[in-house]
Amino acid sequence: MNMKVLNCTNANTPSHSDGISLLKSENKNHLWIGKAICATVVACFFFIQASSGQTNYYSKSTGNLNSTASWGTNTDGSGGAPSNFTANNQVFNIRNNATPTVNGNWTVSGTNSKIIVGNGTNACNFTVGSNYVLNASVDVSANATLTLTTTGSITNISFGTLAATSTVNFASTSAQTIPNETWGNIII
């Protein structure tokens, strides 16, 4: 069988700007298989690139965290704000304010999306008060506190990483069911 190295660069052959090479047989059936393989490789490359992108948002120094206007893509909270809290692969880093709060329910629901309380260095005490409900996956960093004074449900909080020096304060006057987790520090 006569084989050639074929660059994927013209309209009659598989194409990709990075010049993926295939072996080409003089047999046209083998060329069709080569085109399919090249197209599959290119499609997988772009799928992996698109699906692995994660956007980090950082809280501003003021504002309620359940408002998209309180977030930006730069570590000081400036930059582009999220269009919603329900898109996939969004991480909401609570920092720049030692005592951030919400003024309503807050749901962060996209696949692989979560909230991270604190930056691991500076003290930060995020409080969910009144009867507000937090519905999210939540990590609590070192030196950070999540205070739940809410009389609303806390069953929709999925605790993720809880640093050894983090604190979760179950401070409601209403009954709260405390999940079985490996807590850094817990106040009941």
Side-chain angles (χ1 to χ4, degrees):
M1 177 185 302
N2 186 7
M3 304 289 280
K4 299 180 196 176
V5 173
L6 176 67
N7 286 326
C8 301
T9 56
N10 67 43
N12 297 324
T13 61
S15 62
H16 187 272
S17 62
D18 290 340
I20 295 172
S21 297
L22 299 173
L23 292 176
K24 176 189 172 194
S25 162
E26 294 300 321
N27 179 331
K28 293 189 190 277
N29 291 332
H30 291 122
L31 180 58
W32 172 253
I33 292 169
K35 286 181 179 180
I37 291 170
C38 187
T40 301
V41 168
V42 170
C44 287
F45 172 77
F46 285 111
F47 174 75
I48 290 169
Q49 290 291 80
S51 64
S52 66
Q54 184 178 53
T55 304
N56 278 285
Y57 293 100
Y58 302 89
S59 59
K60 297 179 185 299
S61 60
T62 61
N64 291 300
L65 298 180
N66 57 310
S67 168
T68 56
S70 296
W71 297 91
T73 52
N74 299 320
T75 57
D76 66 355
S78 65
S83 57
N84 59 56
F85 295 113
T86 58
N88 297 337
N89 302 309
Q90 296 185 113
V91 177
F92 296 94
N93 296 276
I94 301 174
R95 49 175 77 178
N96 304 314
N97 182 345
T99 56
T101 60
V102 292
N103 68 348
N105 297 337
W106 187 23
T107 298
V108 174
S109 62
T111 302
N112 298 318
S113 293
K114 65 180 176 178
I115 297 167
I116 300 175
V117 181
N119 63 5
T121 302
N122 299 312
C124 176
N125 184 353
F126 169 43
T127 300
V128 180
S130 188
N131 63 344
Y132 303 137
V133 174
L134 178 63
N135 181 2
S137 176
V138 180
D139 294 352
V140 185
S141 301
N143 303 314
T145 301
L146 173 61
T147 300
L148 301 168
T149 60
T150 180
T151 56
S153 174
I154 61 168
T155 60
N156 293 322
I157 300 172
S158 173
F159 291 98
T161 302
L162 301 167
T165 58
S166 69
T167 302
V168 178
N169 182 357
F170 292 91
S172 178
T173 56
S174 298
Q176 292 179 313
T177 301
I178 299 171
N180 185 16
E181 300 286 345
T182 302
W183 305 102
N185 296 290
I186 184 171
I187 300 172
I188 301 174

